[in-house]
Every structure is written in structure tokens, then in C-alpha cells.
């Protein structure tokens, strides 16, 4: 069975004062599913007739993340809710990477590195880095993560978003249909001190949802 893939691109922009903005556009690639191997173009897959087992990926819009840097560093945290809808009886997998081989937030003359943590071994956000976390996923812990603006280093841990040349990181999955749509709250955090030039820093994150 060929799975179905749905991709969403989100541009994350960080400005000093930091503003993390997500701009959404979508690109779809459609495949057909069938459990009837003897007759091409017939059969069904769970609740989906041949060729209709689709998957849809949406999010809540544009999260804004603002940081007023201090000499020792200040951190802000904001969330984005990603929703997956599919009638596939085997469920789906939701992953993400950055859109390029460089996963730092790029400014005019310098950049903000992604966190050194991974979902299996997340770490506390370091100054002048950015990262993500999903409460209850892998080794992130249950949290709860909360929104903050120009506060202290969060007590919860974060991971770096992999670049496009690395293996994608899973942020959600299901082994059963997601109808109604299943929501995943992805938290983004950024920390900065006053050594970072005032500038616009940006990265692009690509979410991909695939039926299992």
C-alpha cells in the first residue's frame, strides 16, 4: 500500500525584539490506497473507498514570540497547534524538519543556533538558541509548558528542529483514524542576550503528515 502525504511549510521569523511568526502554505501529494490487489481501481480501505483516503494538515495560524534581550538572557515561549484529519484506519505520522540544510535562525550578519537537544535527549534552552518541544512526547516530559514573554529560562526541556538533510523528527502519530481531527500543540522557545544584534532572524519549518 502506498501511503498518502500532506506537507505544510511554516516560516518562523525571530526579531529583536523577537517576533516568531508562522506563515502557512500547503503542498499536497496524493496517492491511492486499496486493499483489493486483484482488481486495480477497486476495493476499500477502512472507511475510505479507493482513492478517497485523504489526509489534511492545518494549524491555528500565526504564533508571535517576542523577546526583550537582557545581559544574562531572556526567553519567550509560544505554541502552535497542528491538526491532522484522516480516515485511514492505520492512522498517520506527523514529522517536521527545517526547509534547508541549515537549521539556524538566520539574521543579516549572525544567526541563532537550534537547540543541541533531541526528542530522545532534550535539554534546557541555552542563551541565543531556539528549539521546540511537545508535552508528553518521547523524553520531553509531561510539562505542562506555558506561554511566557521575556522571562527566565524555562524549566522544561527543548530540542532542535532537524535540518532537511537530517532525519525528520516525529511530533505526533496515531494507529487509528483521526476523524475528528487530532490536535498536537508544538511549543517553540527562543532565548537571547544583549550580545545578539538587533535584526530579523528566520527559519522555515516543514510539517509532513503521512498515512501509515
Amino acid at each position: 500500500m502506498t501511503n498518502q502525504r500532506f506537507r505544510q511549510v511554516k516560516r518562523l521569523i525571530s526579531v529583536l525584539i523577537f517576533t516568531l511568526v508562522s506563515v502557512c502554505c500547503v503542498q499536497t501529494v496524493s496517492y491511492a490506497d486499496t486493499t483489493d490487489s486483484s482488481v486495480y481501481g477497486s476495493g476499500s480501505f477502512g472507511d475510505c473507498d479507493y482513492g478517497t483516503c485523504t489526509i489534511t494538515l492545518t494549524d491555528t495560524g500565526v504564533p508571535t514570540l517576542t523577546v526583550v534581550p537582557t545581559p544574562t538572557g531572556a526567553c519567550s515561549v509560544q505554541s502552535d497547534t497542528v491538526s491532522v484529519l484522516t480516515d485511514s484506519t492505520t492512522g498517520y505520522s506527523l514529522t517536521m524538519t527545517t526547509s534547508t540544510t541549515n537549521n539556524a535562525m538566520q539574521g543579516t550578519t549572525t544567526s541563532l543556533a537550534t537547540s543541541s537537544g533531541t526528542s530522545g535527549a532534550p535539554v534546557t534552552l541555552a542563551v541565543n538558541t531556539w528549539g521546540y518541544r511537545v508535552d508528553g512526547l518521547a523524553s520531553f516530559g509531561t510539562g505542562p509548558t506555558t506561554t511566557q514573554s521575556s522571562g527566565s529560562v524555562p524549566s522544561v526541556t527543548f530540542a532542535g528542529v532537524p535540518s532537511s538533510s537530517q532525519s525528520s523528527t516525529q511530533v505526533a502519530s496515531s494507529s487509528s483514524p483521526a476523524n475528528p481531527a487530532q490536535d498536537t500543540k508544538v511549543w517553540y522557545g527562543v532565548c537571547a542576550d544583549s550580545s545578539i544584534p538587533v535584526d530579523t532572524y528566520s527559519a522555515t519549518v516543514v510539517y509532513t503528515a503521512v498515512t501509515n
Side-chain angles (χ1 to χ4, degrees):
M1 181 187 71
T2 303
N3 61 14
Q4 183 161 0
R5 181 181 300 267
F6 195 101
R7 178 165 289 180
Q8 180 157 343
V9 180
K10 301 178 66 58
R11 187 165 180 79
L12 307 178
I13 302 174
S14 179
V15 183
L16 284 182
I17 302 169
F18 283 98
T19 302
L20 182 61
V21 178
S22 168
V23 179
C24 168
C25 60
V26 296
Q27 175 184 358
T28 61
V29 181
S30 297
Y31 299 93
D33 294 309
T34 179
T35 54
D36 188 344
S37 60
S38 61
V39 181
Y40 178 79
S42 64
S44 62
F45 183 67
D47 295 329
C48 313
D49 292 331
Y50 173 81
T52 67
C53 201
T54 59
I55 188 167
T56 303
L57 176 61
T58 58
D59 69 9
T60 53
V62 181
T64 300
L65 192 58
T66 301
V67 176
V68 180
T70 66
T72 57
C75 305
S76 291
V77 178
Q78 184 60 272
S79 67
D80 177 36
T81 300
V82 187
S83 301
V84 176
L85 173 67
T86 182
D87 285 322
S88 170
T89 54
T90 55
Y92 71 92
S93 177
L94 175 65
T95 61
M96 72 175 178
T97 66
T98 59
S99 64
T100 68
T101 57
N102 189 341
N103 56 4
M105 278 193 171
Q106 297 296 317
T108 303
T109 60
T110 189
S111 61
L112 293 168
T114 193
S115 170
S116 62
T118 64
S119 59
V123 298
T124 301
L125 268 181
V127 173
N128 301 329
T129 67
W130 72 286
Y132 85 97
R133 69 172 275 112
V134 179
D135 288 352
L137 177 72
S139 297
F140 285 117
T142 57
T145 306
T146 57
T147 300
Q148 71 175 57
S149 180
S150 300
S152 58
V153 175
S155 60
V156 293
T157 53
F158 286 77
V161 179
S163 73
S164 61
S165 60
Q166 298 172 311
S167 298
S168 60
T169 186
Q170 188 176 80
V171 293
S173 64
S174 172
S175 58
S176 58
N179 191 354
Q182 292 185 358
D183 294 340
T184 299
K185 185 168 286 189
V186 181
W187 293 91
Y188 291 98
V190 61
C191 295
D193 64 23
S194 51
S195 70
I196 293 294
V198 175
D199 199 354
T200 297
Y201 299 84
S202 65
T204 301
V205 171
V206 179
Y207 290 110
T208 302
V210 183
T211 55
N212 295 330

